[in-house]
Coordinates of all heavy atoms in Angstrom, one line a residue:
M1 N -19.0 -51.6 6.6 CA -19.2 -50.4 7.7 C -17.7 -49.8 8.1 O -17.8 -48.6 8.4 CB -19.9 -51.1 8.9 CG -20.3 -50.1 9.9 SD -21.8 -49.4 9.1 CE -22.5 -48.6 10.5
N2 N -16.7 -50.6 8.0 CA -15.4 -50.2 8.3 C -15.0 -49.2 7.4 O -14.3 -48.2 7.6 CB -14.4 -51.3 8.4 CG -14.5 -52.1 9.8 OD1 -15.1 -51.5 10.7 ND2 -14.0 -53.3 9.7
R3 N -15.3 -49.5 6.0 CA -15.0 -48.5 5.0 C -15.6 -47.0 5.1 O -15.0 -46.0 4.8 CB -15.2 -49.1 3.6 CG -14.3 -50.2 3.2 CD -14.6 -50.6 1.7 NE -13.7 -51.8 1.4 CZ -13.6 -52.3 0.3 NH1 -14.5 -51.9 -0.7 NH2 -12.9 -53.1 0.0
L4 N -16.8 -47.1 5.4 CA -17.5 -45.9 5.8 C -16.8 -45.1 6.9 O -16.7 -43.9 6.7 CB -19.0 -46.2 6.1 CG -19.8 -45.0 6.5 CD1 -20.0 -44.1 5.3 CD2 -21.2 -45.4 6.9
Y5 N -16.5 -45.8 7.9 CA -15.8 -45.0 9.0 C -14.5 -44.5 8.6 O -14.1 -43.4 8.9 CB -15.5 -46.1 10.2 CG -16.8 -46.2 11.0 CD1 -17.0 -47.6 11.4 CD2 -17.8 -45.3 11.3 CE1 -18.2 -48.0 12.1 CE2 -18.8 -45.7 11.9 CZ -19.1 -46.9 12.4 OH -20.2 -47.2 13.1
M6 N -13.7 -45.3 7.8 CA -12.4 -44.8 7.2 C -12.5 -43.5 6.4 O -11.8 -42.6 6.4 CB -11.7 -46.0 6.4 CG -11.3 -47.0 7.3 SD -10.2 -46.6 8.6 CE -8.7 -46.3 7.7
V7 N -13.6 -43.6 5.6 CA -13.9 -42.4 4.7 C -14.3 -41.2 5.5 O -13.8 -40.0 5.2 CB -15.1 -42.8 3.6 CG1 -15.4 -41.5 2.9 CG2 -14.5 -43.8 2.7
L8 N -15.2 -41.4 6.5 CA -15.5 -40.3 7.4 C -14.3 -39.7 8.2 O -14.1 -38.5 8.3 CB -16.6 -40.8 8.4 CG -18.0 -41.1 7.7 CD1 -19.0 -41.4 8.7 CD2 -18.5 -39.8 7.1
I9 N -13.4 -40.6 8.7 CA -12.3 -40.1 9.4 C -11.3 -39.4 8.4 O -10.7 -38.3 8.8 CB -11.6 -41.3 10.1 CG1 -12.4 -41.8 11.1 CG2 -10.1 -40.9 10.5 CD1 -11.8 -43.1 11.7
F10 N -11.2 -39.9 7.3 CA -10.4 -39.2 6.2 C -10.9 -37.8 5.9 O -10.2 -36.8 5.8 CB -10.3 -40.1 4.9 CG -9.5 -39.3 3.8 CD1 -8.1 -39.3 3.9 CD2 -10.2 -38.8 2.7 CE1 -7.3 -38.7 2.9 CE2 -9.4 -38.2 1.7 CZ -8.0 -38.1 1.8
L11 N -12.3 -37.7 5.8 CA -12.9 -36.4 5.4 C -12.7 -35.5 6.7 O -12.5 -34.2 6.4 CB -14.4 -36.6 5.0 CG -14.7 -37.1 3.7 CD1 -16.1 -37.4 3.5 CD2 -14.1 -36.3 2.6
L12 N -12.9 -36.1 7.8 CA -12.7 -35.2 9.0 C -11.3 -34.6 9.0 O -11.0 -33.5 9.4 CB -13.2 -36.0 10.2 CG -12.9 -35.4 11.6 CD1 -14.0 -34.1 11.7 CD2 -13.1 -36.2 12.8
V13 N -10.3 -35.4 8.8 CA -8.9 -35.0 9.0 C -8.7 -34.0 7.8 O -8.1 -33.0 8.1 CB -8.0 -36.2 8.8 CG1 -6.4 -35.8 8.4 CG2 -8.1 -37.1 9.9
L14 N -9.2 -34.2 6.7 CA -9.1 -33.2 5.5 C -9.7 -31.9 5.9 O -9.0 -30.9 5.7 CB -9.6 -33.7 4.3 CG -9.4 -33.1 3.0 CD1 -8.0 -33.2 2.7 CD2 -10.3 -33.6 1.9
I15 N -10.8 -31.9 6.5 CA -11.5 -30.6 6.9 C -10.8 -29.8 7.9 O -10.6 -28.7 7.9 CB -12.9 -30.9 7.3 CG1 -13.8 -31.3 6.0 CG2 -13.6 -29.6 7.9 CD1 -15.1 -31.8 6.3
L16 N -10.3 -30.6 9.0 CA -9.6 -30.0 10.1 C -8.2 -29.5 9.6 O -7.8 -28.4 10.0 CB -9.4 -31.1 11.2 CG -10.6 -31.4 12.0 CD1 -10.3 -32.6 13.0 CD2 -11.2 -30.3 12.7
S17 N -7.7 -30.3 8.7 CA -6.2 -29.7 8.2 C -6.5 -28.4 7.4 O -5.8 -27.6 7.4 CB -5.5 -30.8 7.3 OG -6.3 -31.1 6.2
Y18 N -7.5 -28.3 6.7 CA -7.9 -27.1 5.9 C -8.1 -25.9 7.0 O -7.6 -24.9 6.6 CB -9.3 -27.4 5.1 CG -9.7 -26.0 4.4 CD1 -9.2 -25.5 3.2 CD2 -10.8 -25.3 5.0 CE1 -9.6 -24.4 2.7 CE2 -11.3 -24.1 4.4 CZ -10.7 -23.7 3.3 OH -11.1 -22.6 2.8
F19 N -9.0 -26.1 8.0 CA -9.0 -25.0 9.0 C -7.8 -24.7 9.8 O -7.6 -23.5 10.0 CB -10.2 -25.3 9.8 CG -11.6 -25.2 9.1 CD1 -12.4 -26.3 9.0 CD2 -12.1 -24.0 8.8 CE1 -13.7 -26.1 8.4 CE2 -13.3 -23.7 8.3 CZ -14.0 -24.9 8.0
A20 N -7.0 -25.7 10.0 CA -5.7 -25.4 10.6 C -4.8 -24.5 9.7 O -4.1 -23.6 10.2 CB -5.0 -26.6 11.0
G21 N -4.8 -24.9 8.4 CA -3.9 -24.2 7.5 C -4.4 -22.7 7.3 O -3.7 -21.8 7.3
M22 N -5.7 -22.5 7.4 CA -6.4 -21.2 7.2 C -6.0 -20.4 8.5 O -5.7 -19.2 8.3 CB -7.9 -21.4 7.2 CG -8.5 -20.1 6.5 SD -10.2 -20.5 6.0 CE -11.1 -20.7 7.5
H23 N -6.0 -21.0 9.7 CA -5.7 -20.3 10.8 C -4.2 -19.9 11.0 O -3.9 -18.8 11.3 CB -6.0 -21.2 12.0 CG -5.7 -20.6 13.5 ND1 -6.3 -19.5 13.9 CD2 -4.7 -20.9 14.3 CE1 -5.8 -19.1 15.0 NE2 -4.7 -19.9 15.2
A24 N -3.4 -20.8 10.4 CA -2.0 -20.6 10.4 C -1.6 -19.4 9.4 O -0.8 -18.5 9.7 CB -1.2 -21.7 9.9
G25 N -2.3 -19.4 8.2 CA -2.2 -18.3 7.4 C -2.6 -16.9 7.8 O -2.0 -15.8 7.7
T26 N -3.7 -16.9 8.6 CA -4.1 -15.7 9.2 C -3.2 -15.2 10.2 O -2.9 -13.9 10.2 CB -5.5 -16.0 9.9 OG1 -6.4 -16.4 9.0 CG2 -6.1 -14.7 10.6
M27 N -2.6 -16.1 11.1 CA -1.6 -15.7 12.0 C -0.4 -15.2 11.5 O 0.3 -14.2 11.9 CB -1.2 -16.9 13.0 CG -2.5 -17.4 14.0 SD -2.8 -16.0 15.1 CE -4.4 -15.6 14.6
R28 N 0.1 -15.7 10.4 CA 1.2 -15.3 9.6 C 0.9 -13.8 9.1 O 1.8 -13.1 9.1 CB 1.6 -16.3 8.6 CG 2.9 -16.0 7.8 CD 3.2 -16.8 6.6 NE 3.3 -18.2 7.2 CZ 3.0 -19.3 6.5 NH1 2.7 -19.2 5.1 NH2 3.1 -20.4 7.0
C29 N -0.2 -13.7 8.6 CA -0.6 -12.3 8.0 C -0.5 -11.2 9.2 O 0.0 -10.2 8.9 CB -2.0 -12.3 7.4 SG -2.5 -10.9 6.6
H30 N -1.2 -11.6 10.2 CA -1.1 -10.7 11.3 C 0.2 -10.4 11.9 O 0.5 -9.2 12.3 CB -2.1 -11.2 12.6 CG -3.5 -11.3 12.4 ND1 -4.2 -10.2 12.0 CD2 -4.3 -12.2 12.3 CE1 -5.5 -10.4 11.9 NE2 -5.6 -11.8 12.1
T31 N 1.1 -11.4 11.9 CA 2.5 -11.1 12.3 C 3.3 -10.3 11.4 O 3.9 -9.3 11.8 CB 3.2 -12.5 12.5 OG1 2.5 -13.4 13.4 CG2 4.6 -12.3 13.0
K32 N 3.1 -10.5 10.1 CA 3.7 -9.6 9.2 C 3.2 -8.3 9.3 O 4.0 -7.3 9.1 CB 3.5 -10.2 7.8 CG 4.3 -9.5 6.7 CD 4.0 -10.2 5.3 CE 4.8 -9.3 4.3 NZ 4.6 -9.9 2.8
S33 N 2.0 -8.0 9.4 CA 1.4 -6.7 9.5 C 1.9 -6.0 10.8 O 2.3 -4.9 10.6 CB -0.2 -6.8 9.6 OG -0.7 -5.6 9.7
A34 N 1.9 -6.7 11.8 CA 2.6 -5.9 13.1 C 4.0 -5.6 12.9 O 4.5 -4.6 13.3 CB 2.3 -6.9 14.2
L35 N 4.8 -6.5 12.3 CA 6.2 -6.2 12.0 C 6.3 -5.0 11.1 O 7.2 -4.2 11.4 CB 6.9 -7.5 11.4 CG 8.3 -7.4 11.2 CD1 9.1 -7.2 12.5 CD2 8.9 -8.6 10.5
D36 N 5.5 -5.0 10.0 CA 5.6 -3.8 9.1 C 5.3 -2.5 9.9 O 5.9 -1.5 9.6 CB 4.7 -4.0 7.9 CG 5.2 -5.1 7.0 OD1 6.4 -5.4 7.0 OD2 4.4 -5.6 6.1
T37 N 4.3 -2.6 10.7 CA 3.9 -1.4 11.4 C 4.9 -0.9 12.3 O 5.3 0.3 12.4 CB 2.5 -1.7 12.1 OG1 1.5 -2.0 11.2 CG2 2.1 -0.4 12.9
S38 N 5.6 -1.9 12.9 CA 6.6 -1.6 13.8 C 7.8 -0.9 13.2 O 8.5 0.1 13.7 CB 7.2 -2.8 14.6 OG 8.1 -2.6 15.4
K39 N 8.2 -1.5 12.0 CA 9.3 -0.9 11.1 C 8.9 0.5 10.7 O 9.9 1.4 10.8 CB 9.5 -1.8 9.9 CG 10.2 -3.0 10.3 CD 10.5 -3.8 9.0 CE 11.2 -5.2 9.3 NZ 11.5 -6.0 8.0
Q40 N 7.7 0.9 10.4 CA 7.4 2.2 10.0 C 7.5 3.1 11.2 O 7.9 4.3 10.9 CB 6.0 2.2 9.4 CG 5.8 1.6 8.0 CD 4.3 1.4 7.5 OE1 3.4 1.6 8.2 NE2 4.1 1.1 6.3
Q41 N 6.9 2.7 12.3 CA 7.0 3.6 13.5 C 8.4 3.8 13.9 O 8.7 5.0 14.3 CB 6.3 3.0 14.7 CG 4.7 2.9 14.5 CD 4.1 2.2 15.6 OE1 4.6 1.4 16.3 NE2 2.7 2.5 15.7
T42 N 9.3 2.8 13.7 CA 10.8 3.1 14.1 C 11.4 4.0 13.1 O 12.1 5.0 13.6 CB 11.5 1.7 14.0 OG1 10.9 0.9 14.9 CG2 13.0 1.9 14.4
K43 N 11.0 4.0 11.9 CA 11.6 4.9 10.9 C 11.1 6.2 11.1 O 11.8 7.2 11.0 CB 11.1 4.4 9.4 CG 11.6 5.1 8.3 CD 11.0 4.7 7.1 CE 12.0 4.2 6.0 NZ 11.5 3.9 4.8
I44 N 9.8 6.4 11.4 CA 9.2 7.8 11.7 C 9.9 8.4 13.0 O 10.3 9.6 13.0 CB 7.6 7.7 11.9 CG1 7.0 7.5 10.6 CG2 7.2 8.9 12.5 CD1 5.6 7.0 10.8
I45 N 10.2 7.7 14.0 CA 10.9 8.1 15.2 C 12.2 8.5 14.8 O 12.7 9.5 15.4 CB 10.8 7.0 16.2 CG1 9.3 6.9 16.8 CG2 11.8 7.4 17.5 CD1 9.1 5.7 17.7
K46 N 12.9 7.8 14.0 CA 14.3 8.1 13.6 C 14.3 9.5 12.9 O 15.1 10.3 13.1 CB 15.0 7.0 12.7 CG 16.3 7.3 12.4 CD 16.9 6.2 11.5 CE 18.3 6.5 11.1 NZ 18.7 5.4 10.2
I47 N 13.4 9.7 11.9 CA 13.3 10.9 11.1 C 13.0 12.0 12.2 O 13.6 13.1 11.9 CB 12.2 10.8 10.1 CG1 12.7 9.7 9.0 CG2 12.0 12.1 9.5 CD1 11.8 9.4 7.9
Q48 N 12.1 11.8 13.0 CA 11.8 12.9 13.9 C 12.9 13.3 14.8 O 13.1 14.5 15.1 CB 10.5 12.5 14.8 CG 9.3 12.6 14.2 CD 8.1 12.0 15.0 OE1 8.3 11.4 16.0 NE2 6.9 12.3 14.6
G49 N 13.6 12.3 15.3 CA 14.8 12.6 16.0 C 15.9 13.4 15.2 O 16.6 14.4 15.8
E50 N 16.1 13.0 13.9 CA 17.1 13.8 13.2 C 16.6 15.3 12.9 O 17.4 16.2 13.1 CB 17.3 13.2 11.8 CG 18.0 11.8 11.8 CD 17.9 11.1 10.5 OE1 17.3 11.6 9.6 OE2 18.5 10.0 10.5
I51 N 15.2 15.4 12.7 CA 14.8 16.8 12.6 C 14.9 17.5 13.9 O 15.3 18.8 13.8 CB 13.3 16.8 12.0 CG1 13.2 16.2 10.7 CG2 12.6 18.1 12.2 CD1 11.8 15.9 10.1
N52 N 14.6 16.9 15.0 CA 14.7 17.7 16.3 C 16.0 18.0 16.6 O 16.4 19.0 17.1 CB 14.1 16.9 17.4 CG 12.6 16.8 17.3 OD1 12.0 17.6 16.7 ND2 12.0 15.7 17.9
A53 N 17.0 17.2 16.3 CA 18.5 17.4 16.6 C 19.0 18.6 15.6 O 19.6 19.4 16.2 CB 19.3 16.1 16.3
E54 N 18.5 18.6 14.5 CA 18.9 19.7 13.6 C 18.3 21.1 14.1 O 19.0 22.2 14.1 CB 18.5 19.5 12.1 CG 19.0 20.6 11.2 CD 18.6 20.2 9.8 OE1 18.5 19.1 9.5 OE2 18.6 21.2 9.0
T55 N 17.1 21.0 14.4 CA 16.4 22.3 15.0 C 17.0 22.7 16.3 O 17.1 23.8 16.4 CB 14.9 21.9 15.2 OG1 14.3 21.4 14.0 CG2 14.2 23.1 15.6
L56 N 17.3 21.8 17.1 CA 17.9 22.3 18.5 C 19.3 22.9 18.3 O 19.7 23.6 19.2 CB 17.9 21.1 19.3 CG 16.5 20.6 20.0 CD1 16.7 19.5 20.8 CD2 15.8 21.7 20.7
H57 N 20.0 22.4 17.4 CA 21.4 23.0 17.1 C 21.3 24.4 16.6 O 22.4 25.0 16.6 CB 22.3 22.0 16.3 CG 22.5 20.7 17.0 ND1 23.2 20.7 18.1 CD2 22.3 19.5 16.8 CE1 23.4 19.4 18.6 NE2 22.7 18.7 17.7
R58 N 20.4 24.8 16.0 CA 20.3 26.1 15.4 C 19.9 27.1 16.4 O 19.0 26.9 17.3 CB 19.3 26.3 14.3 CG 19.7 25.4 13.0 CD 18.8 25.7 11.9 NE 19.3 24.9 10.8 CZ 18.8 25.0 9.6 NH1 17.9 26.0 9.3 NH2 19.3 24.5 8.5
T59 N 20.5 28.3 16.4 CA 20.2 29.2 17.4 C 19.2 30.3 16.9 O 19.0 30.3 15.6 CB 21.4 30.0 17.9 OG1 22.0 30.8 16.7 CG2 22.4 29.1 18.4
G60 N 18.7 31.2 17.8 CA 17.8 32.2 17.2 C 18.2 33.1 16.2 O 17.6 33.5 15.2
D61 N 19.5 33.5 16.4 CA 20.3 34.4 15.4 C 20.4 33.8 14.1 O 20.2 34.4 13.1 CB 21.7 34.7 15.9 CG 21.5 35.5 17.2 OD1 20.5 36.3 17.3 OD2 22.4 35.4 17.9
D62 N 20.7 32.4 14.1 CA 20.8 31.8 12.7 C 19.4 31.8 11.9 O 19.4 32.0 10.8 CB 21.4 30.4 12.9 CG 21.7 29.7 11.7 OD1 22.2 30.4 10.8 OD2 21.3 28.4 11.7
I63 N 18.4 31.5 12.7 CA 17.1 31.5 12.1 C 16.8 32.9 11.6 O 16.3 33.0 10.5 CB 16.0 30.9 13.1 CG1 16.4 29.5 13.4 CG2 14.6 31.1 12.5 CD1 15.5 28.9 14.4
R64 N 16.9 33.8 12.4 CA 16.6 35.3 11.9 C 17.4 35.5 10.7 O 16.9 36.3 9.8 CB 16.9 36.3 13.1 CG 15.8 36.3 14.0 CD 15.9 37.4 15.0 NE 15.8 37.0 16.3 CZ 16.7 36.8 17.3 NH1 18.0 37.5 17.1 NH2 16.7 36.3 18.5
R65 N 18.7 35.3 10.8 CA 19.6 35.5 9.6 C 19.0 34.9 8.3 O 18.9 35.6 7.3 CB 20.9 35.1 9.8 CG 22.0 35.5 8.7 CD 23.3 35.0 8.9 NE 23.3 33.5 9.1 CZ 23.2 32.6 8.1 NH1 23.2 32.9 6.9 NH2 23.3 31.3 8.5
I66 N 18.7 33.7 8.3 CA 18.2 32.9 7.2 C 16.9 33.6 6.8 O 16.6 33.8 5.6 CB 17.9 31.4 7.6 CG1 19.2 30.8 7.8 CG2 17.2 30.7 6.5 CD1 19.1 29.4 8.4
L67 N 15.9 33.9 7.6 CA 14.7 34.6 7.2 C 14.9 35.9 6.7 O 14.2 36.3 5.8 CB 13.8 34.7 8.5 CG 13.1 33.3 9.0 CD1 12.4 33.6 10.3 CD2 12.4 32.7 7.9
R68 N 15.9 36.6 7.2 CA 16.2 37.9 6.7 C 16.7 37.9 5.3 O 16.4 38.7 4.3 CB 17.2 38.7 7.5 CG 17.3 40.2 7.3 CD 18.2 41.0 8.2 NE 18.2 40.5 9.6 CZ 19.1 40.0 10.2 NH1 20.3 39.8 9.6 NH2 19.2 39.6 11.6
E69 N 17.7 36.8 5.1 CA 18.3 36.7 3.7 C 17.2 36.2 2.7 O 17.1 36.8 1.5 CB 19.3 35.7 3.7 CG 20.6 36.2 4.4 CD 21.6 35.1 4.6 OE1 21.3 34.0 4.1 OE2 22.7 35.3 5.1
K70 N 16.3 35.4 3.0 CA 15.3 35.0 2.1 C 14.1 35.8 1.8 O 13.5 35.8 0.8 CB 14.8 33.5 2.6 CG 15.9 32.5 2.5 CD 15.2 31.2 2.8 CE 16.1 30.0 2.7 NZ 15.5 28.7 3.0
Y71 N 13.7 36.5 2.8 CA 12.3 37.2 2.8 C 12.4 38.7 2.9 O 11.6 39.3 3.4 CB 11.3 36.5 3.7 CG 11.1 35.1 3.6 CD1 11.6 34.2 4.4 CD2 10.4 34.6 2.5 CE1 11.4 32.9 4.3 CE2 10.3 33.3 2.3 CZ 10.7 32.4 3.2 OH 10.6 31.1 3.0
T72 N 13.5 39.4 2.6 CA 13.5 40.9 2.7 C 13.1 41.4 1.3 O 13.1 40.7 0.3 CB 15.1 41.3 3.0 OG1 15.8 40.8 1.8 CG2 15.6 40.9 4.3
I73 N 12.6 42.7 1.4 CA 12.1 43.3 0.3 C 13.3 43.9 -0.4 O 14.1 44.7 0.1 CB 11.1 44.3 0.7 CG1 9.8 43.8 1.3 CG2 10.6 45.1 -0.6 CD1 8.9 44.8 1.9
T74 N 13.5 43.4 -1.8 CA 14.6 43.9 -2.6 C 14.2 45.2 -3.3 O 13.0 45.1 -3.7 CB 15.1 42.8 -3.4 OG1 14.1 42.4 -4.3 CG2 15.7 41.7 -2.6
E75 N 15.1 46.1 -3.4 CA 14.8 47.2 -4.2 C 15.1 47.2 -5.6 O 16.0 46.5 -6.1 CB 15.4 48.5 -3.5 CG 14.8 48.7 -2.1 CD 15.4 49.9 -1.5 OE1 15.2 51.1 -2.0 OE2 16.2 49.7 -0.5

């Protein structure tokens, strides 16, 4: 009878460790996914800031001059 209990306890520990490992893997995946998303958002915000800074430093005359040079009808 003692052997039966030992085998059952061993199987219970084995099953519980399997589910604990599966849970730990899922949590690691969620953490990595959240970190990747955060890095992508930071990169996008940085790019938007650079674009906005360049746009704000240009004046209306500069934009008109560039448009006139690129899109005039040449004879």
Side-chain angles (χ1 to χ4, degrees):
M1 198 68 166
N2 282 341
R3 287 187 179 180
L4 179 63
Y5 288 138
M6 292 301 286
V7 169
L8 289 176
I9 290 173
F10 177 74
L11 288 175
L12 180 66
V13 168
L14 190 66
I15 291 170
L16 288 176
S17 64
Y18 172 77
F19 285 113
M22 202 166 70
H23 178 70
T26 302
M27 288 297 115
R28 187 180 302 154
C29 181
H30 287 302
T31 303
K32 186 177 178 185
S33 176
L35 184 62
D36 289 343
T37 302
S38 174
K39 285 181 182 179
Q40 287 176 351
Q41 287 176 345
T42 303
K43 188 183 229 183
I44 289 170
I45 290 170
K46 182 180 176 185
I47 290 171
Q48 285 177 343
E50 291 172 359
I51 290 171
N52 288 339
E54 184 178 336
T55 303
L56 289 176
H57 290 298
R58 292 189 177 189
T59 62
D61 294 334
D62 187 36
I63 293 172
R64 276 190 236 118
R65 181 186 54 80
I66 292 171
L67 290 174
R68 194 177 323 114
E69 287 174 359
K70 286 186 179 181
Y71 300 108
T72 58
I73 300 173
T74 57
E75 296 182 65

